[in-house]
Amino acid sequence: MEGTAGLVFFTVTVAAVATLLILPPGVAVAYALARWDGPGKGLVETVLALPMVLPPTAVGLVLLELLARNGPLGRVLDAWGVEVVFTPKAVVLASAVMAFPLLVRSARSGFEEVDPRLVAVARTLGDTRARAFFRVTLPLAWRGVLVGALLAFSRALGEFGATVLVAGNIPGRTQTLSLAIFHRTQLGEDAEALRLAGVATLLAFVAVYATEVVTRRRGRRGRA
Amino acid sequence: MSLVLSLRLPLARFTLEVETRLSGASVAVLGRSGSGKTSLLEVLAGLRRGARGRVQVGGRVLLDSAAGVDVPPEARRMGYVPQDALLFPHLTAGQNVRFGERKGRPSRAEEAISLLELTPLLHRYPPTLSGGEKQRVALARALATDPALLLLDEPLAALDVALKERVLPYLLRVRDEAKVPMLYVTHQLGEARVLAHEALLLDEGRVRAVGLASEVLGTTARGLLASEGEGEENILEGTLERPEGGGLRLRVAEGLALWVPDALELSVGMRAAYAVPSEDVLLSMGPLSGVSARNVLMGTVAKVEPAASGEDAATVDVAGVSWVVRLTAASVRELGVVPGARVYLAVKTAACRRLR
C-alpha cells in the first residue's frame, strides 16, 4: 500500500511539474497563434499538433535519439554533467512534450475570444503592450489557459508510450502509475494491476471533472 | 489647442489624405460610413500603422514619418472613446474609469465620475449597464487620464434616440466644464451642430470642406450626408382624419391633432408619420392669435438644454407627446422658458413633412 502512495505521489508530481514547465512557453505560443496571421501559420500549427496524433512511442523514440549521450542534445547536456535519459527528468520531459499541444490548443481559443480592440483601448490609456497583456488579455483568457493546463495535466497523468522509451520503466525511479500497470500485467499480477488501474481512474476522474467545471463556467460567462 | 494634420494612409478602397490645421476646442469629423473617419481617429490614437506624414497636437509631434517619429499609443495622451464603449468586461465601472491611473501622474478620475454622474454605477460590471451608461463610463475612463485630446468615435451611434438625448448633455459638459478639446466623429449633422465649433468633412478619404462648423455644416454637409438621415426632428405618428370644413389632420393623441398638407393619395383612417424640424416650431408664452400658422398647440415645458452654440433645445410636453423646439439662448432668458412653464407652439402646415 505504501508503494501505491509513493507511485501516486510520483505520478502526480511528474504531471504537475511537466504542466508548470510548459505553461510559460505554451501561453506564449498560444498567444502568438491567436494574434499572428503570417505565412506558414498552418505549417506551424501542424507541427505543434503532431505529438497529439503521432504514436507516443514515435515521439519517445525521437526524444531518446536527441537526448542519448551521443545524440545532438545529449552531447551538450552530457558536457554540463546533466543526464536525462532513464531518469525522472525524462519522465517529466516526455509528459511535457505530449501535453504541450493540448495546453496550446485550449489557451489559444481563450486568447482568440479576447477582442484585440480592448487591448488597443488599454494602450491609449497608457499601457505598454506587455502591461496590456497582463491587465487585459490574460485576465480575459485565463479560463482557456486554466482548462488547457488541466487538460495537459490529465494527459501527463496517463502518459505511457513516450515515457517508456525515453525513461524506461524503473520501479522507484521512473515508474509512474501507467507504467506500473503495464509492469504488473507483464508479471501476471492482474489483481494488483487492476487495483492500480482503479487508482488511476480516480485520479483521472478528479482532473477531468475539474476541467469540466471550469469549462462550464466559461460557457455561462460567455452567455452573460 | 492646435491640431496639425498632414497625412496619407492607404485604405482598402482609397487613400485617406488629410491636410489641414485646426484650432478649435471641438472639432466634428463628418462623412458617410466608410469615408475614412474612424481610420483618421485611429491614426491620431496611434492604433493604425502605415500612416505617412505628420500629426501634431497642441505643439507636440505624435507622428513624423520623415523624421522617424511615431509615438506609441500609451505615450500619446489621446482619450479614445470607441463607438461601442469597449469597457473591460472583467472590471467594474469604477475600475474601468481608473484603468489609466498611474502613480505620479495627474488623474481626473474623481472629476470625471462626478461630471458624468457615475457614483451609483461604480461597483457594477459592464454587462449590467445600459448602452448610455456604458458610453458615460467609457467617456469618464478616457477623461480620467487627463488627455490632451478626446477622440470620440460616434459615441452616440449605438444608442437609440431617447438615449442619445440623455448622453448628449454629458458630452456638452465634458466640452464646457472639463474643457477637454475633442475630436468628434459622426455622420449625424444634428450632433455635429450641437457639439462642434469646427468641422471637417470627409468624402472617400478626401477633405471636402473644413472650417467653422457654422459654415461647413451648411449645404455641402447636408448634401453629403443626405442619405444618412438626420435626427433633429419631431416625429409624429397618428391617424389621418378630415374634419368638416375641409383639410387634413393627423390625430396623434387625445388632445393633439396636427393640420398637415393635403394630398390626394391620403385617405381618412390611414396611419401616417410626419416630421417637423425643431427649428420650424415657434414657441410663445401667451395664447397665439392672428398667426398664419394653422397649428397652435398648448403644452408644458419639460426641460431646457443647451443645443448648438448659442442655442437651446426646449422639450415641451403636448398632451403626453414630447416636442423639441430650438430657441436662441437669449429668447430662453427673455421669455422665461423654464421647466413647468405653460407655452404655446405654432407649427405651419407646410413644415410637416410626410415620412410614410
Side-chain angles (χ1 to χ4, degrees), chain B:
Chain B
M1 229 294 290
S2 71
L3 185 60
V4 183
L5 300 173
S6 167
L7 56 93
R8 286 175 57 89
L9 174 72
L11 298 171
R13 287 193 304 116
F14 50 78
T15 297
L16 176 69
E17 279 180 80
V18 179
E19 188 82 52
T20 188
R21 172 186 290 268
L22 296 152
S23 59
S26 175
V27 180
V29 178
L30 282 118
R32 278 190 286 256
S33 313
S35 58
K37 305 188 297 285
T38 297
S39 301
L40 176 63
L41 221 58
E42 286 173 354
V43 168
L44 285 171
L47 299 172
R48 189 63 89 99
R49 304 283 106 190
R52 312 282 304 160
R54 208 175 145 81
V55 173
Q56 197 179 320
V57 176
R60 193 164 163 243
V61 177
L62 298 181
L63 176 76
D64 187 346
S65 51
V69 176
D70 187 358
V71 177
E74 62 266 27
R76 289 197 174 202
R77 290 187 57 223
M78 294 285 121
Y80 180 51
V81 182
Q83 183 171 341
D84 42 356
L86 281 175
L87 299 181
F88 303 116
H90 60 302
L91 302 176
T92 62
Q95 289 167 329
N96 265 281
V97 174
R98 296 184 181 283
F99 189 90
E101 282 192 335
R102 297 285 185 283
K103 279 200 193 79
R105 257 203 268 160
S107 165
R108 297 181 74 172
E110 290 303 328
E111 182 194 352
I113 287 166
S114 83
L115 195 67
L116 295 161
E117 293 171 14
L118 295 176
T119 310
L121 308 177
L122 291 180
H123 61 280
R124 285 172 52 188
Y125 281 90
T128 69
L129 298 174
S130 73
E133 289 167 342
K134 280 181 193 160
Q135 279 300 348
R136 273 155 62 200
V137 174
L139 203 54
R141 178 177 64 180
L143 199 57
T145 58
D146 191 27
L149 178 65
L150 268 179
L151 302 172
L152 308 173
D153 191 0
E154 307 218 21
L156 304 182
L159 308 177
D160 60 41
V161 177
L163 270 178
K164 247 178 225 183
E165 281 179 17
R166 252 181 273 163
V167 176
L168 199 57
Y170 287 106
L171 284 172
L172 289 166
R173 276 185 169 195
V174 169
R175 187 191 70 188
D176 300 333
E177 293 176 35
K179 299 203 188 303
V180 179
M182 53 168 75
L183 198 101
Y184 185 99
V185 161
T186 182
H187 62 257
Q188 293 273 315
L189 208 46
E191 286 173 29
R193 279 216 201 91
V194 171
L195 281 156
H197 295 316
E198 284 176 301
L200 176 75
L201 214 58
L202 278 181
D203 184 21
E204 300 272 292
R206 306 278 170 128
V207 177
R208 275 280 289 271
V210 59
L212 287 175
S214 51
E215 290 162 13
V216 174
L217 301 180
T219 40
T220 320
R222 218 183 262 279
L224 191 66
L225 301 170
S227 55
E228 302 270 336
E230 203 189 326
E232 260 184 303
E233 294 179 314
N234 294 292
I235 309 292
L236 299 145
E237 283 184 284
T239 314
L240 293 172
E241 52 186 29
R242 285 185 194 280
E244 283 172 19
L248 185 68
R249 211 157 60 172
L250 180 76
R251 170 65 57 186
V252 181
E254 187 73 47
L256 173 56
L258 203 65
W259 291 102
V260 293
D262 207 346
L264 280 175
E265 74 271 22
L266 301 174
S267 56
V268 173
M270 254 175 83
R271 295 288 297 173
Y274 285 80
V276 181
S278 60
E279 53 272 56
D280 288 352
V281 183
L282 202 72
L283 184 143
S284 160
M285 299 307 286
L288 288 158
S289 59
V291 288
S292 63
R294 208 166 168 203
N295 295 299
V296 177
L297 314 161
M298 194 172 73
T300 314
V301 176
K303 60 181 173 185
V304 181
E305 287 169 326
S309 47
E311 271 195 76
D312 286 351
T315 308
V316 178
D317 180 85
V318 180
V321 178
S322 283
W323 285 73
V324 176
V325 186
R326 277 304 188 86
L327 300 160
T328 62
S331 15
V332 168
R333 259 196 323 276
E334 282 161 30
L335 294 172
V337 181
V338 289
R342 158 108 345 152
V343 295
Y344 294 82
L345 304 182
V347 183
K348 279 180 157 185
T349 303
C352 305
R353 182 166 52 88
R354 190 165 146 254
L355 297 174
R356 63 167 194 274

Side-chain angles (χ1 to χ4, degrees), chain A residues 15-16 19-20 22-24 26-28 30 99-111 113-114 133 137-155 206-219 221:
Chain A
T19 306
L20 288 176
I22 58 172
L23 208 49
V27 166
F100 191 74
L102 283 166
L103 169 66
V104 169
R105 206 149 262 251
S106 171
R108 175 186 160 185
S109 71
F111 285 125
E113 280 171 32
V114 180
F133 176 82
T137 311
L138 201 55
L140 288 172
W142 73 270
R143 241 174 250 278
V145 175
L146 182 61
V147 167
L150 282 166
L151 284 171
F153 177 74
S154 311
R155 177 68 183 81
V206 172
V208 175
Y209 189 73
T211 314
E212 281 301 312
V213 169
V214 176
T215 313
R216 224 168 337 159
R217 285 232 185 93
R218 176 162 65 163
R221 188 174 144 134

